[in-house]
Amino acid sequence: MTKIRASDFQNPYSAYSSEFSSLDAAVMAQIGIQYHPGTDVQDMRDQVLHALEADASVYQIEAGRHVDAAGHVNDVFLVYWVSGDAYRRWHAEHPLESWVPKPGERSVGLWVESLQVPARRLETSYSTQDARWGMAKNRSKELNPYHSYFGSMRDRIHDAEDGGLPGTVTELSPVAVMSDSRLVSFEVPENMCFIRSPQGWRHCPDAERDWFEEKMLPVYQAGVDYLSENPLDTGCLSIRKIDVHHPADAQVQTATLAWWQSLAHLEAWAHKHPTHLAILQSFGELARHFAPDVTVVLGHEVYVVPAGGARAEYLNCHDRTGLLPFLGHLSSAVSDLVSDH
């Protein structure tokens, strides 16, 4: 395997990655409750959280809130299991249909987007060795020299080296797929890519926190907005930026969750588009100004889906939810909701 990193390259700052020698596969799921603003879903939130906390095979639960382009609120749980078998057991005990709202609450939707990805197809990058978000909570971290140059993400993913993991979704044609009063479920195509990018700054010293909020966060938001508004041009088929509120002492305050048509589509935006180049420039300015004591928490988890390694399920959700507009036509399971409890 050939690395892209030049032999004489000098990293401008330190970065860390999770240690994967004992990892078979990473397993995580986004579980969403979708509703109109003002709808009371507290009981449902509590039920989902209780079911997750009662499972000893869950090692990380984070939660936040996102308002989507249709104006619906989405309460999102980010959950990590120790194994695929453990997740499948939990899912079998708590299928999406088991959370079906009461007849008077049918404006509430539910969705799950799950991943089971071998270590050879994923990578992590952290701005601090003390990263505790996502899968970092359960793994040791090590200094990683493969960062801060174009192509470094591919260098960190074993199977992506030498141009591996090409996309399989070559054409996109948005189709309105409704999940009103029914469950729509489908496999995510092989070699699609998912990235989670967090931002944590409230713990920073005042000067660094102010710099991040005033100078870097608006630049980052501009990149998120561009991707949200241009899915066909970019290959970013779904993007959610959530405000994290659980646990109460969460290390990060926001998390961006995005599905890409392929790793190459993610790279193309990251390497070439002005909105991402502006993000890189903004972070470089912050890093140079506060070095060597940069404390803002940044980084990402990147997963490239194997065949059968990811699934999306939507129940009673609007037709612009997640991957429904682009992949809902692949649905292998459509079932009506039960009418009563």
Side-chain angles (χ1 to χ4, degrees):
M1 296 291 187
T2 304
K3 295 291 188 184
I4 297 170
R5 185 183 192 273
S7 59
D8 60 349
F9 178 76
Q10 298 294 316
N11 298 108
Y13 51 86
S14 297
Y16 304 86
S17 293
S18 288
E19 201 279 315
F20 287 153
S21 61
S22 62
L23 180 69
D24 178 32
V27 183
M28 71 91 69
Q30 302 174 71
I31 302 172
I33 304 172
Q34 183 182 94
Y35 55 95
H36 293 286
T39 305
D40 184 3
V41 297
Q42 187 61 51
D43 287 347
M44 188 179 294
R45 267 198 305 266
D46 291 344
Q47 290 172 24
V48 174
L49 182 59
H50 176 74
L52 292 168
E53 290 178 336
D55 188 344
S57 63
V58 170
Y59 68 86
Q60 176 77 291
I61 305 170
E62 299 160 277
R65 183 165 294 164
H66 164 70
V67 179
D68 62 32
H72 289 64
V73 180
N74 291 257
D75 288 341
V76 184
F77 295 89
L78 305 176
V79 192
Y80 295 74
W81 278 264
V82 296
S83 71
D85 287 343
Y87 169 69
R88 284 186 287 273
R89 283 195 300 270
W90 185 89
H91 187 275
E93 293 172 1
H94 305 283
L96 208 57
E97 300 95 316
S98 68
W99 310 112
V100 171
K102 298 174 183 178
E105 301 171 346
R106 287 295 166 80
S107 61
V108 177
L110 297 154
W111 55 266
V112 175
E113 296 168 357
S114 60
L115 287 156
Q116 181 177 345
V117 177
R120 297 169 60 95
R121 283 174 162 261
L122 62 88
E123 64 96 354
T124 61
S125 184
Y126 310 121
S127 61
T128 172
Q129 195 169 15
D130 185 42
R132 302 184 301 278
W133 58 271
M135 73 171 70
K137 180 178 180 179
N138 204 37
R139 311 210 66 80
S140 61
K141 272 73 69 178
E142 57 189 8
L143 194 66
N144 192 328
Y146 299 106
H147 69 89
S148 64
Y149 58 91
F150 292 142
S152 58
M153 179 169 57
R154 191 170 287 273
D155 275 353
R156 293 190 298 269
I157 301 175
H158 184 279
D159 284 2
E161 294 181 18
D162 298 327
L165 306 180
T168 61
V169 179
T170 56
E171 295 184 7
L172 291 170
S173 181
V175 177
V177 177
M178 307 299 294
S179 70
D180 291 349
S181 299
R182 64 177 188 166
L183 171 67
V184 177
S185 177
F186 53 88
E187 284 190 359
V188 176
E190 183 179 11
N191 290 350
M192 277 191 57
C193 179
F194 176 79
I195 181 170
R196 174 187 176 182
S197 301
Q199 300 81 39
W201 66 92
R202 289 181 188 157
H203 64 285
C204 295
D206 291 348
E208 185 180 355
R209 182 176 63 250
D210 291 347
W211 181 297
F212 183 84
E213 290 180 342
E214 295 170 8
K215 298 183 178 182
M216 187 171 176
L217 200 55
V219 176
Y220 182 82
Q221 185 63 51
V224 173
D225 292 343
Y226 172 78
L227 293 174
S228 178
E229 295 164 3
N230 296 277
L232 292 176
D233 291 340
T234 62
C236 182
L237 305 188
S238 171
I239 185 165
R240 304 177 177 106
K241 182 166 170 279
I242 69 170
D243 294 321
V244 178
H245 55 68
H246 178 88
D249 61 348
Q251 190 180 34
V252 299
Q253 283 70 65
T254 58
T256 304
L257 315 164
W259 285 99
W260 290 80
Q261 195 172 335
S262 70
L263 182 62
H265 284 83
L266 171 54
E267 288 180 303
W269 176 71
H271 296 180
K272 300 176 183 178
H273 197 270
T275 55
H276 192 262
L277 297 179
I279 293 170
L280 293 178
Q281 179 179 341
S282 180
F283 174 69
E285 292 170 354
L286 181 148
R288 286 190 295 273
H289 187 84
F290 294 100
D293 299 317
V294 177
T295 61
V296 65
V297 175
L298 301 170
H300 59 246
E301 299 172 346
V302 174
Y303 307 76
V304 184
V305 175
R311 191 162 191 85
E313 304 170 63
Y314 305 96
L315 187 155
N316 208 38
C317 296
H318 66 73
D319 62 1
R320 297 168 64 187
T321 304
L323 295 172
L324 264 179
F326 299 103
L327 301 178
H329 65 281
L330 300 176
S331 179
S332 58
V334 177
S335 59
D336 291 334
L337 290 174
V338 295
S339 58
D340 288 294
H341 285 271

